[in-house]
Amino acid sequence: MEPSDLPPELKGLERRLAARSRAQPPADLRQRILAAMRRELAAQPAAAQRKWRRTWQYAAAAAGILLVLNLLMSMDNRSNFPASRAANGADVQQVAAKIRELVPFISPEAALCEALILRAGSHLEMVPQLRPGVSSLQALQQIEEGPSWVTQ
């Protein structure tokens, strides 16, 4: 509202309020505000460093836990390795000899290679490979039927 739109009693009140002297801020207010700002800005990097240090500590702890879990899982996989196999590879030599009997034209190196491949494949666990669009019921039926390469 413009002062000309006011009723006469409010115009007088506004004139008296405008004529009053205004309170001045204390002389040291500027120095107090600047000192408080300096204190806050000086304390802020220390708090940010503490926050990041804590974050890195959590990340290092998580990485350590993941490393331990990975090592434990690796040890578990190693302990599942069939102990019935000879550690010196005598079973591989026997399988290579059997392959040479069955396939006489194969070289000894190729027979050994095939024996190693057979040994490596014998330790694999059969797991279904779920494909997108295959329901879990279809996957169970595939498991019950066995691998398709066996039935063909």
Side-chain angles (χ1 to χ4, degrees), residues 25-33:
D28 66 337
L29 179 65
R30 182 172 193 260
Q31 284 75 25
R32 286 190 331 217
I33 291 174

Side-chain angles (χ1 to χ4, degrees), residues 33-61:
I33 291 174
L34 289 175
M37 288 296 295
R38 281 189 203 101
R39 278 193 310 270
E40 289 297 320
L41 289 175
Q44 189 175 14
Q49 283 178 345
R50 282 191 303 269
K51 175 184 156 193
W52 281 109
R53 188 177 309 129
R54 209 172 329 133
T55 303
W56 280 109
Q57 287 173 346
Y58 291 146

Side-chain angles (χ1 to χ4, degrees), residues 53-128:
R53 188 177 309 129
R54 209 172 329 133
T55 303
W56 280 109
Q57 287 173 346
Y58 291 146
I65 289 170
L66 287 175
L67 177 66
V68 168
L69 287 175
N70 189 4
L71 291 174
L72 288 173
M73 289 173 57
S74 297
M75 287 174 27
D76 182 47
N77 284 341
R78 179 69 180 125
S79 67
N80 288 341
F81 194 75
S84 63
R85 301 285 184 184
N88 60 5
D91 60 335
V92 174
Q93 296 298 331
Q94 291 170 355
V95 171
K98 187 69 172 170
I99 291 173
R100 294 275 328 250
E101 285 177 29
L102 296 173
V103 186
F105 57 86
I106 194 168
S107 70
E109 293 83 16
L112 183 63
C113 182
E114 293 295 328
L116 287 172
I117 291 171
L118 285 172
R119 181 177 180 190
S122 68
H123 301 306
L124 297 176
E125 294 181 16
M126 298 298 286
V127 292

Side-chain angles (χ1 to χ4, degrees), residues 118 121 124-127 129 142 145-152:
L118 285 172
L124 297 176
E125 294 181 16
M126 298 298 286
V127 292
Q129 293 182 353
Q142 287 176 355
E145 293 169 1
S148 60
W149 54 269
V150 171
T151 57
Q152 292 177 351

